[in-house]
Amino acid sequence: MAHRKILQLAASIAVALAGAAQAQSIAVDTARGAVELPGIPQKIVVLDAAAADTLEALQVPIAGVPSKLYVSYLQDLQDRAVPVGTLFEPDFEAIAMLAPDLIVAGGRSSVQVEALAGIAPAIDMTIWGEDHIAQSLARLRSYGHLTGQEARAADLEAAFTAKLEHTRAAVGGRGNAMILMTNGPKVSVYGAGSRFGWLHTALDLPEAVESVAAQTHGEAVSFEFIAAANPDWLIVIDRAAAIGQGNQAAAVTLDNALVAGTTAWRRQQVVYLNAANVYIAGGGIQSMTAALEEVLAGFATGG
Amino acid sequence: MGLLLCLLAAVSLFVGVNRLSPGAVLSDPQALQLLAVSRIPRTAAVLLTGASMAVAGVIMQLLVRNKFVEPGTTGTNEAAMLGLLAVTLLAPSMSLFGKMLAASAAALAGTALFILLARRIPPERPLLIPLSGLVYGGVLTACATFVAIQTDLLQYLGIWMSGEFSGVLAGRYELLWLAGGLAVLSYFAADQFTIAGLGRNVSLNLGLRYGQVLGFGIVTVSLVSALVIVTVGMLPFIGLVVPNLVSRIMGDNLRASLPVVAGTGAGLLLLCDILGRLLRYPYEIPVGTVFGIFGAAVFLYMLLGRRAHG
């Protein structure tokens, strides 16, 4: 079925392009290698928060996005675009109704790429694993290339790189740090190899405990673990806040006798990151810039 | 057995990420603080949870007259979860005590409904009871999952689904003493529960106020389950494995066996928690996972091994 649909689609595209010059096709780097697109897409459906973040920053019009992106700065986009399911489960019917020229999937929706290709050309723009920043910037360049916004992409990259350098300088020599995610009453620690690890690697910020295993969801630890590590800085992400539940705020969870003894807590060197930004839209150019600004602000007031 | 339990508790006090030696406790005020803030609360929380869950399991088994049930297979846990979900959505700022009350009320309703269900099942088909309990619990879980998906609370639900003690500190577990108190209270009704376990007709002929005992049992089981879920999360299996282990050795006279059930539950859970703390030191494995593996092995052995006591 899907095969025949793809063939039909390919045939119709071929017919449509018969008059147009062959040279218009664009090669794009994706998470699964280079992909050939028939031309600059006019109607784009985006199923990943990081992709929506970066495309929005490039001022590219977006036709459809998941009904919830959780990120406050994408609310405008949310109001303009047609809802097309959730981050995990695209609404295939709604997407087909939109008849897009391109579907951008990634992260939580990356497993749906093959199925989505039955509707329109679909690319997987997941940002995952090693070298988070290099990957994110590669996606930014790809988006710039495929939408003809290379100049804007270059500007964004330059601005981000400058901010990164600035932040790296600001955190240099200020001691080590530990990235924590609170989930209700429980805490996990995230190492340099984790999804938030770029804060350690890209900023040259030493880990309070080295070689925390690279786990997607961090390592469950007790408060004693934090007390024993005695980090100079705590970088805190509240998991519940990322999905709109500020029930038991991270500060309340961490405010206890064991954490209170750490250097970070005594000197009020605790940086709270906007959870939705780094957790849901992690890798988006706006999300990463905002995270750097939060780190900068935290290091400016702390200590 | 008491000696073994004390030994485990002592080990638990000195197992953790921070170095703490028995000698330091006497001289170092910081060590004393660590003991008071972290180690003693955690050890107490595990002991109270293990004991009260095992007791809740045995009471449930007597009330339904079936060896294969526990609060985790009769919808009690799931109902408590629904109550907790409801209160999170409707009154998110409610205190822990209020949440506990809501969870308990829901658990009560859920357990009562299950007992009504169980009564309709012919006694000559004993395996139908746990089966229908699992289905019933599955239906409740489905409801909870549906609500959670619609309201983006799925991950939040996950916190309660997997019980573990890494977040336990002084000031964050004290409700569990209530569960422990309930377990002690049920000891005074042990004879009544034993008789109730003989069935409704026999109990009534022996002059037992069957309705009252049943009601007290349901309240105890529901409250214990709700208390444990609200403070540490769901810990299935304990109430199933421990009473069966003890009943194989000691029979079903609750007056004699209840302390052993409580002690075994507390000891086994503590052992699993210590293992969870040590296996991937300094990180933790949730005690629910450790006990799940351990309990499954024991339960399979009991099912496949020699049949004693039926």
Side-chain angles (χ1 to χ4, degrees):
Chain A
M1 255 320 262
H3 246 76
R4 192 184 295 169
K5 270 196 184 150
I6 296 173
L7 282 178
Q8 279 173 355
L9 197 82
S12 59
I13 291 170
V15 171
L17 290 178
Q22 289 290 319
Q24 273 190 338
S25 76
I26 310 172
V28 183
D29 276 333
T30 74
R32 305 185 189 186
V35 169
E36 199 86 0
L37 291 180
I40 289 185
Q42 299 304 312
K43 209 171 204 182
I44 306 178
V45 165
V46 181
L47 296 169
D48 175 52
D53 169 322
T54 303
L55 284 166
E56 178 80 349
L58 288 169
Q59 297 171 18
V60 174
I62 298 173
V65 289
S67 57
K68 271 191 183 166
L69 288 171
Y70 302 91
V71 194
S72 56
Y73 57 81
L74 291 177
Q75 193 53 49
D76 280 354
L77 167 64
Q78 201 93 70
D79 295 340
R80 285 197 309 270
V82 176
V84 288
T86 70
L87 286 172
F88 286 94
E89 292 184 2
D91 180 346
F92 284 77
E93 238 173 74
I95 297 172
M97 290 281 284
L98 279 173
D101 306 315
L102 175 69
I103 301 170
V104 180
R108 297 159 181 88
S109 58
S110 59
V111 289
Q112 307 277 7
V113 168
E114 281 85 3
L116 289 163
I119 300 176
I123 53 175
D124 179 0
M125 298 301 260
T126 303
I127 298 162
W128 193 248
E130 294 280 296
D131 228 345
H132 185 87
I133 292 207
Q135 278 191 45
S136 304
L137 293 178
R139 299 288 176 271
L140 169 66
R141 269 175 246 128
S142 291
Y143 293 135
H145 182 53
L146 77 89
T147 57
Q149 301 289 353
E150 277 103 339
R152 273 199 193 123
D155 286 349
L156 285 172
E157 181 170 349
F160 175 78
T161 314
K163 179 138 282 175
L164 188 65
E165 286 309 319
H166 182 47
T167 315
R168 199 199 325 251
V171 305
R174 305 280 301 273
N176 61 32
M178 176 179 269
I179 305 176
L180 293 179
M181 178 179 264
T182 64
N183 199 352
K186 293 163 190 173
V187 198
S188 308
V189 63
Y190 284 77
S194 74
R195 68 203 295 169
F196 308 122
W198 63 276
L199 289 166
H200 282 302
T201 49
L203 293 176
D204 293 331
L205 186 59
E207 290 179 273
V209 175
E210 275 177 36
S211 70
V212 174
Q215 295 274 336
T216 314
H217 290 288
E219 286 282 359
V221 291
S222 59
F223 294 107
E224 279 187 32
F225 180 90
I226 304 169
N230 190 20
D232 299 317
W233 292 84
L234 281 174
I235 297 177
V236 182
I237 299 149
D238 186 343
R239 177 66 180 81
I243 49 171
Q245 288 293 321
N247 257 344
Q248 193 165 9
V252 178
T253 302
L254 291 177
D255 190 7
N256 61 59
L258 288 175
V259 177
T262 60
T263 309
W265 199 267
R266 275 189 289 109
R267 296 197 188 154
Q268 298 184 328
Q269 303 191 132
V270 185
V271 181
Y272 295 95
L273 295 188
N274 180 310
N277 291 6
V278 288
Y279 191 77
I280 311 272
I285 195 75
Q286 300 183 64
S287 148
M288 291 198 303
T289 308
L292 288 181
E293 272 160 12
E294 281 166 336
V295 171
L296 261 179
F299 273 74
T301 55
Chain B
M1 199 183 94
L3 194 72
L4 209 64
L5 206 56
C6 288
L7 201 73
L8 271 175
V11 170
S12 166
L13 287 181
F14 295 100
V15 166
V17 178
N18 278 331
R19 239 169 243 285
L20 181 68
S21 67
V25 177
L26 301 172
S27 54
D28 185 0
Q30 250 190 329
L32 210 60
Q33 192 220 14
L34 183 69
L35 205 61
V37 170
S38 172
R39 300 293 168 80
I40 292 176
R42 180 162 188 160
T43 306
V46 178
L47 289 174
L48 288 167
T49 305
S52 56
M53 291 293 285
V55 169
V58 80
I59 293 176
M60 198 73 207
Q61 290 174 7
L62 284 173
L63 291 184
V64 193
R65 300 184 64 198
N66 194 299
K67 288 265 177 231
F68 296 103
V69 299
E70 60 133 2
T73 61
T74 56
T76 306
N77 284 349
E78 287 80 3
M81 189 81 87
L82 266 176
L84 206 51
L85 201 58
V87 80
T88 306
L89 285 171
L90 301 175
S93 54
M94 198 175 253
S95 68
L96 198 62
F97 195 70
K99 282 183 181 165
M100 188 224 96
L101 278 183
S104 308
L108 213 61
T111 314
L113 194 62
F114 173 74
I115 291 199
L116 281 180
L117 268 173
R119 282 216 182 142
R120 298 191 165 232
I121 295 167
E124 61 271 18
R125 319 267 312 262
L127 274 180
L128 275 184
I129 289 181
L131 278 181
S132 50
L134 285 174
V135 174
Y136 174 61
V139 171
L140 292 180
T141 308
C143 293
T145 310
F146 177 77
V147 175
I149 286 180
Q150 297 298 316
T151 52
D152 288 316
L153 281 173
L154 207 52
Q155 308 271 354
Y156 208 59
L157 203 62
I159 305 171
W160 288 309
M161 285 281 199
S162 67
E164 51 143 336
F165 294 90
S166 70
V168 170
L169 285 176
R172 295 188 183 177
Y173 81 104
E174 279 73 2
L175 278 174
L176 288 174
W177 285 102
L178 266 175
L182 280 167
V184 172
L185 208 61
S186 67
Y187 180 66
F188 294 108
D191 290 334
Q192 271 96 321
F193 282 128
T194 308
I195 297 172
L198 298 173
R200 184 165 181 270
N201 292 337
V202 178
S203 317
L204 287 176
N205 282 334
L206 288 172
L208 185 76
R209 292 188 177 175
Y210 185 72
Q212 270 183 17
V213 175
L214 191 72
F216 177 67
I218 297 176
V219 169
T220 308
V221 169
S222 306
L223 276 175
V224 165
S225 306
L227 281 163
V228 169
I229 286 179
V230 171
T231 34
V232 295
M234 234 189 227
L235 287 168
F237 241 26
I238 303 164
L240 187 66
V241 171
V242 174
N244 275 297
L245 264 180
V246 174
S247 143
R248 295 214 139 195
I249 300 160
M250 296 191 61
D252 286 338
N253 180 355
L254 215 52
R255 176 72 69 183
S257 68
L258 204 61
V260 182
V261 168
T264 311
L268 283 182
L269 193 64
L270 192 55
L271 185 70
C272 288
D273 187 53
I274 294 172
L275 279 178
R277 273 181 268 173
L278 288 176
L279 285 175
R280 290 201 61 216
Y281 184 88
Y283 314 113
E284 300 209 2
I285 301 175
V287 69
T289 311
V290 182
F291 197 94
I293 295 167
F294 174 79
V298 172
F299 198 61
L300 276 177
Y301 172 77
M302 286 196 296
L303 283 178
L304 299 173
R306 202 161 44 88
R307 281 169 195 272
H309 295 297

